[in-house]
Amino acid sequence: YYEYTYSPGDKFTLLAGARTDFHNLYGTYFTPRLHSRFQFSENTILRAAIGRGYRTPNTIVENSNILVSSRQLIIEENPEPEVSWNMGGSLVTAVNIGDKKLNLIADYFYTNFENQLIYDMDANSSQLRVYNLRGKSYAHSFQLEGNYQFSDRLSAKAAYKFYDVRATINDELREVPFNARNRFFLNTSYATRFDKWEADATLQWYGSKRLPDTSDKPAEFQRGSSSPDFFLLNAQVSRGFRWGNIYIGSENLLGFTQDNPIIDSENPFSDNFDASLVWAPIAGRMVYAGFRY
């Protein structure tokens, strides 16, 4: 392992690193990386990075949802380590609004896979086929986040994320299933003086997700090619005392659930039974209360 840091002044830093590993099954891993940081002003910082990564996948653990279905697990070849290049950067800045600062963070990263273990649920709805990448696989990730402190007691944070993940599945470059391309997050928190009362609420929006192909099943057991978008809302209120606090809250406050998440649920030993196609909560609104001492 080797690392070198170049820092000619307070505004610029360059960090270069390289690492070599010797694996008893997969041979030599060489992992280079490069990070840079440039401070344009007191409130604006740009970071950029590029590096290579290796990963040894664990087929069963990473697909435990398949164990609650009648799908046959077919490992077509010996899994090879996943290898990828990741590059991108982030821009952090602050904008004065009144006597407060609006903090903004924008980041973009691109990952390109040289090899990846593919979990193919599309070739056959009764199987999970596992094989090494035979084509392209990549991911684009963009996120824009802002947070603002309205007062000493009230703050808010919002973020939008675009996540385009594609891989060659069943000889076709397509979206990876169960991944929402568009996501939105909003959090607000409020506290009274001395934190006597505290309230917190988080709203999340998930865009449509691609679902595995079930067109080869009987018509009554087929599912759509994509899911609808949905919202999740969590909230909590707490009252503080000298000895601790008491609280009450709710998860999935809007009560959104996925309809009919289990295919052929009345026949759990049939060839069509499948409880692995879950893309949203299956439990409704949950209310809880407690205390901390």
Side-chain angles (χ1 to χ4, degrees):
Y1 176 80
Y2 173 80
E3 185 176 280
Y4 173 75
T5 302
Y6 175 67
S7 183
D10 295 335
K11 292 188 175 182
F12 179 72
T13 302
L14 181 68
L15 188 150
R19 170 176 171 154
T20 302
D21 294 84
F22 300 95
H23 197 286
N24 68 316
L25 297 179
Y26 302 116
T28 303
Y29 291 166
F30 177 65
T31 313
R33 64 189 180 99
L34 185 68
H35 299 264
S36 62
R37 175 185 179 274
F38 186 81
Q39 185 167 352
F40 292 98
S41 65
E42 181 182 354
N43 294 328
T44 304
I45 298 174
L46 175 66
R47 294 180 174 89
I50 182 171
R52 195 183 195 197
Y54 292 84
R55 176 179 177 272
T56 303
N58 193 319
T59 304
I60 303 298
V61 172
E62 294 169 15
N63 293 276
S64 58
N65 60 311
I66 299 300
L67 302 180
V68 290
S69 75
S70 61
R71 287 179 183 263
Q72 181 184 8
L73 176 61
I74 301 175
I75 301 178
E76 297 186 355
E77 56 190 326
N78 291 329
E80 296 294 329
E82 297 185 334
V83 185
S84 67
W85 284 91
N86 183 262
M87 60 200 74
S90 64
L91 179 66
V92 180
T93 189
V95 180
N96 292 320
I97 300 180
D99 59 344
K100 303 289 184 180
K101 287 184 177 181
L102 172 64
N103 297 303
L104 297 171
I105 304 173
D107 62 49
Y108 167 77
F109 286 93
Y110 171 72
T111 302
N112 182 61
F113 284 90
E114 294 181 7
N115 184 58
Q116 185 182 31
L117 201 60
I118 300 299
Y119 304 113
D120 186 349
M121 301 175 69
D122 295 286
N124 190 315
S125 64
S126 299
Q127 298 174 344
L128 171 66
R129 309 185 75 91
V130 182
Y131 47 84
N132 296 307
L133 180 65
R134 304 166 185 167
K136 295 182 178 180
S137 178
Y138 61 82
H140 294 277
S141 173
F142 171 76
Q143 180 168 303
L144 181 63
E145 176 184 325
N147 62 78
Y148 186 72
Q149 190 83 22
F150 290 94
S151 66
D152 294 338
R153 299 185 177 90
L154 178 63
S155 64
K157 176 189 289 187
Y160 165 77
K161 185 171 186 177
F162 173 78
Y163 204 40
D164 183 20
V165 185
R166 296 177 184 267
T168 303
I169 303 173
N170 194 25
D171 299 323
E172 180 182 343
L173 183 64
R174 57 177 65 183
E175 290 184 41
V176 173
F178 305 113
N179 174 69
R181 285 168 58 91
N182 298 283
R183 310 176 191 190
F184 179 76
F185 166 92
L186 176 64
N187 172 264
T188 59
S189 58
Y190 177 79
T192 61
R193 193 176 181 184
F194 305 122
D195 295 334
K196 188 173 183 179
W197 286 93
E198 293 181 273
D200 184 275
T202 300
L203 178 68
Q204 298 179 77
W205 173 73
Y206 293 89
S208 178
K209 305 176 183 180
R210 185 182 83 81
L211 301 179
D213 187 4
T214 56
S215 60
D216 59 347
K217 284 184 177 294
E220 65 270 26
F221 300 136
Q222 293 179 13
R223 295 292 184 263
S225 60
S226 62
S227 71
D229 64 308
F230 61 93
F231 287 92
L232 292 179
L233 177 62
N234 302 329
Q236 179 176 291
V237 177
S238 66
R239 170 67 161 87
F241 301 92
R242 290 187 176 183
W243 51 265
N245 59 27
I246 57 175
Y247 58 87
I248 184 171
S250 175
E251 294 182 3
N252 194 9
L253 189 58
L254 301 177
F256 179 83
T257 57
Q258 177 181 340
D259 292 332
N260 301 319
I262 303 176
I263 297 177
D264 200 12
S265 59
E266 296 180 354
N267 301 290
F269 299 103
S270 71
D271 293 337
N272 293 310
F273 177 81
D274 195 341
S276 66
L277 304 184
V278 176
W279 46 264
I282 57 174
R285 183 183 303 108
M286 183 188 76
V287 178
Y288 61 88
F291 68 93
R292 300 183 184 90
Y293 176 77

